[in-house]
Amino acid sequence: MSEQTKPDSRAASATAMPLIVTLVLFAALALIPLLATFYGGGWLTSLAVRAMLLAIAAISLDLLIGHGGLVSFGHSAFIAIGAYTCGIMITEGVDEIALILPVAMAVAGGFALVSGAISLRTSGVSFIMITLAFGQMVYFALGSLAQYGADDGLTLWAAPGFLGGKWLASDIGVYVTVLLLLIGTWALVHRITGSRFGRVLRAARQNPVRVASMGYPVRRYQLAAYCIAGIIASVAGVMWAVQFAFVSPSLSAWQSSGDLIVMVILGGMASRNGALIGALCFILIEESLSAITNDWRLIFGPFLVLIALYARGGLAGLLDRMRGPQ
Amino acid sequence: MSLTLLILQILNGLQLGVILFLIAAGLTLVFGVMGFINLAHGVQYMLGAYLAVFLYGLTGNFVAALVLALPLALLLGLLLEFLVFRHLYDRDHLSQVLATFGVILFLNELMKMLFGPATLSVPPPEFLNFSFKLVDGLLYPAYKLAVIVAGLLVALGLWLVITRTRIGMLIRAGATTPDMVSALGVDVRRLFLCVFGFGAMLAGFAGVMAAPIFAVEPGMGDNLLIVAFVVIIIGGAGSIRGAFVAALLVGLVDTLGRMLVIDGLRLIMNPSAANQVGPAISSMLIYVLMALVLFWRPQGLFAPKAAR
């Protein structure tokens, strides 16, 4: 994004420092497969892939929550749509990711277009609830796919090829692909939020009436953001199916959508690295706490309460404050 | 579809509706009066059920367990309000969602730790442990009928409190114009506390009543909470009457829909496929209903101003 075209609040405070944090995070993620050869092995890489896929979904959700002020409580439905599209196509014998990915994105985009057009007629709490309703519909619809495992989920017996090659059949191939997708998503979302489109979105969050009176079709902008976020999340879903070779309706359970929201808030909304840090820390905290005790939620629950009560701006905000007032 | 089956499903629908109403009543007041999204309200229902299990184990008497559980549920609700929720009233919805989500995680895990992950149950009280013969060949447990009757009585009592008493008047006023009520010298915080504790007790009551019918397990309130939110969105936030109508509607749609959808699907596909697809599609019905209501009447069927 160009430096001279971002006069608004959060993005303007983006100095060189957050960019270094981003680069450090990406570099650390790139080194994990190397670390895994010494410690953790497949468990570590699979954990990192899970964290990165959730980070992709969280970054796309931040486009809605943080920038658009649209609290979607059904975002994990798009992950599930992507995962199931992949699972069903592979089961049906289409094992080419170059075909699967566009189809998944089209299905997610179509669903986002319809559900978004309906949901965006409401706002505030009603929007939260209606997106929740759509998420639940997807959850139950996936559970009804009798020939694709129904409630029990669907196991993928083959990894998809990439332009005929066996790239995605190896762990490292999947890892690199997911990492590149994460970097791509991060760059894309920041390109979007820094653009005129992103500024209209943020302005509409603060004062939709005024933006509308300036001649912007507010709802169309929000719908576009909703579709973009849904499509990005579906890409994470496709890779989820590839990595774990198993998809189940619980991907779109409302608790999963809740987890995504937690990641965004934990990291800090509408900040350069917030959703990324949030998702990585969420997985890190989950793993390290569950290593200490089976009842890790006893610690994690109150931790969320404290974050909600006291940590305004999330972890990214905390990082900003550690650098002192500017 | 036979008539007996229809009667059975209507009774089951009413029973689900009544339990939903008990949960939704507190939720809609908290939501309508305070504008507070309390995801942890379903946990109050779970606490009620676990209190029933615990107190039944202690006293060996269901009625005693019920009588003891109610004040304890009230106390637990007030404790949560004091520790967490009161700091959230003037925060945005997102913080409320996050904090109450954390409370859910904590309490679900705590119950799992204290009582184990297995499902528990409580036998219904002795004097209700028999079955009515509704029509030939159809027995219906007296306890389930008692749940319906108790729920309807609570609904009646609640309606009297809301429409006939001073505190009810304040709640109604608070649901429509909280700022004005506050400006007129009413201690809104205390009103909130009152509403909150009462709502927690109703949800706890629902939990105790549900303990002999449903499996008592960690997270048992989570899915019912989502359905209770569907109820208050359909009924209109802040309206007890709306919550009542919507709860019965959702209860009936959910149970009757289950049967009708499967029967309907059998007409167009083979029976085994219909049996597999049917339950999932009928589970979607209430969400479709809610989406339709939100689409046509975003404020709900009985928004507080229209409620009287």
Side-chain angles (χ1 to χ4, degrees):
Chain A
M1 69 188 97
S2 53
E3 286 299 314
Q4 65 272 28
T5 57
K6 15 165 226 184
D8 59 74
S9 57
R10 288 288 180 83
S13 71
T15 51
M17 189 67 178
L19 197 59
I20 294 174
V21 173
T22 321
L23 291 176
V24 167
L25 283 175
F26 285 148
L29 285 171
L31 288 176
I32 279 186
L34 201 65
L35 178 66
T37 56
F38 301 107
Y39 171 78
W43 170 80
L44 186 63
T45 48
S46 133
L47 184 69
V49 168
R50 190 158 75 95
M52 288 193 289
L53 290 174
L54 289 174
I56 292 175
I59 290 173
S60 70
L61 183 60
D62 188 35
L63 183 64
L64 296 180
I65 295 186
H67 295 275
L70 305 166
V71 182
S72 166
F73 209 145
H75 202 58
S76 64
F78 294 103
I79 300 182
I81 287 175
Y84 263 85
T85 310
C86 182
I88 289 171
M89 286 181 77
I90 288 180
T91 308
E92 295 301 327
V94 185
D95 55 355
E96 172 54 58
I97 199 82
L99 276 176
I100 293 173
L101 210 51
V103 171
M105 290 163 81
V107 173
F111 180 71
L113 198 62
V114 175
S115 68
I118 296 173
S119 308
L120 285 167
R121 282 175 55 96
T122 65
S123 63
V125 179
S126 299
F127 183 81
I128 302 181
M129 290 302 149
I130 200 164
T131 48
L132 176 70
F134 278 114
Q136 290 290 93
M137 283 184 218
V138 170
Y139 174 76
F140 288 118
L142 295 179
S144 76
L145 297 173
Q147 66 273 44
Y148 301 111
D151 285 333
D152 299 330
L154 176 65
T155 303
L156 280 61
W157 299 109
F162 177 59
L163 298 177
K166 286 279 166 213
W167 174 244
L168 289 178
S170 71
D171 280 353
I172 189 71
V174 174
Y175 192 93
V176 171
T177 310
V178 171
L179 179 60
L180 289 177
L181 282 173
L182 174 62
I183 296 173
T185 301
W186 181 87
L188 176 70
V189 168
H190 286 284
R191 179 107 191 110
I192 291 173
T193 55
S195 69
R196 205 186 68 132
F197 176 86
R199 288 208 299 281
V200 174
L201 206 58
R202 276 197 296 281
R205 181 193 62 188
Q206 288 167 2
N207 194 339
V209 177
R210 189 161 168 194
V211 176
S213 69
M214 286 164 73
Y216 290 102
V218 170
R219 206 178 284 164
R220 225 178 288 168
Y221 272 78
Q222 290 172 332
L223 184 58
Y226 193 78
C227 290
I228 293 170
I231 290 172
I232 293 176
S234 76
V235 174
V238 170
M239 291 313 292
W240 186 285
V242 173
Q243 163 73 22
F244 298 104
F246 176 73
V247 297
S248 84
S250 69
L251 278 175
S252 65
W254 69 272
Q255 287 91 343
S256 315
S257 292
D259 284 346
L260 286 178
I261 294 180
V262 169
M263 289 171 203
V264 171
I265 305 177
L266 179 67
M269 291 185 292
S271 62
R272 193 178 271 250
N273 299 315
L276 177 64
I277 296 177
L280 297 183
C281 283
F282 184 93
I283 297 298
L284 201 67
I285 295 170
E286 189 184 279
E287 278 303 315
S288 46
L289 282 184
S290 57
I292 301 170
T293 163
N294 267 336
D295 305 307
W296 61 276
R297 288 190 186 85
L298 276 186
I299 306 167
F300 194 60
F303 173 73
L304 289 186
V305 175
L306 290 179
I307 289 277
L309 287 180
Y310 300 112
R312 290 172 195 257
L315 294 171
L318 217 60
L319 276 180
D320 276 349
R321 259 169 278 150
M322 272 161 57
R323 280 189 292 139
Q326 296 172 337
Chain B
M1 162 181 48
S2 64
L3 185 67
T4 36
L5 199 59
L6 187 68
I7 296 174
L8 187 70
Q9 291 297 348
I10 288 177
L11 284 174
N12 282 339
L14 282 178
Q15 178 218 309
L16 176 65
V18 155
I19 286 184
L20 276 176
F21 169 71
L22 290 176
I23 301 175
L27 197 62
T28 197
L29 288 180
V30 168
F31 186 47
V33 178
M34 312 178 202
F36 175 54
I37 304 187
N38 183 12
L39 290 184
H41 195 72
V43 170
Q44 308 276 7
Y45 163 81
M46 179 187 70
L47 287 179
Y50 271 106
L51 279 174
V53 169
F54 176 68
L55 292 168
Y56 181 81
L58 219 59
T59 62
N61 184 327
F62 184 83
V63 178
L66 174 66
V67 171
L68 288 174
L70 290 183
L72 282 176
L74 179 72
L75 276 181
L76 287 172
L78 293 180
L79 185 70
L80 278 176
E81 203 272 353
F82 179 75
L83 286 178
V84 182
F85 301 146
R86 68 169 42 181
H87 309 291
L88 290 164
Y89 293 149
D90 43 7
R91 303 289 292 274
D92 57 348
H93 291 315
L94 213 49
S95 305
Q96 297 170 351
V97 167
L98 184 66
T100 51
F101 193 71
V103 171
I104 293 182
L105 291 183
F106 176 76
L107 286 173
N108 279 349
E109 197 70 30
L110 188 67
M111 289 304 119
K112 197 162 116 192
M113 207 173 85
L114 292 177
F115 293 92
T119 59
L120 304 168
S121 74
V122 175
E126 285 292 325
F127 63 95
L128 287 172
N129 208 356
F130 62 95
S131 296
F132 278 111
K133 192 170 163 191
L134 289 176
V135 284
D136 277 335
L138 176 66
L139 292 171
Y140 201 74
Y143 181 75
K144 289 192 171 188
L145 282 181
V147 169
I148 297 177
V149 173
L152 293 178
L153 285 179
V154 169
L156 182 68
L158 208 53
W159 178 74
L160 286 176
V161 169
I162 296 283
T163 53
R164 295 285 185 271
T165 65
R166 186 178 163 75
I167 185 107
M169 187 183 72
L170 288 176
I171 290 172
R172 268 183 293 146
T176 35
T177 51
D179 295 340
M180 184 56 86
V181 175
S182 174
L184 289 173
V186 176
D187 186 345
V188 175
R189 288 266 153 162
R190 228 176 62 201
L191 182 67
F192 283 3
L193 188 66
C194 208
V195 168
F196 197 92
F198 195 60
M201 194 174 73
L202 282 180
F205 178 63
V208 176
M209 298 301 277
I213 308 175
F214 299 126
V216 180
E217 59 190 340
M220 66 185 279
D222 294 1
N223 285 324
L224 264 186
L225 169 88
I226 298 296
V227 182
F229 264 114
V230 170
V231 165
I232 69 170
I233 293 288
I234 290 177
S239 161
I240 287 285
R241 195 168 69 169
F244 183 71
V245 173
L248 293 190
L249 187 66
V250 166
L252 287 173
V253 164
D254 195 50
T255 43
L256 283 181
R258 218 157 278 261
M259 189 173 66
L260 295 178
V261 164
I262 294 175
D263 281 357
L265 284 176
R266 278 200 185 131
L267 297 177
I268 52 172
M269 58 173 77
N270 69 53
S272 73
N275 279 344
Q276 278 183 313
V277 178
I281 290 185
S282 52
S283 306
M284 291 166 64
L285 280 180
I286 55 170
Y287 299 102
V288 174
L289 183 67
M290 167 167 127
L292 287 176
V293 167
L294 273 180
F295 188 76
W296 296 113
R297 231 182 121 74
Q299 72 275 35
L301 296 179
F302 298 84
K305 267 174 200 152
R308 305 265 100 72

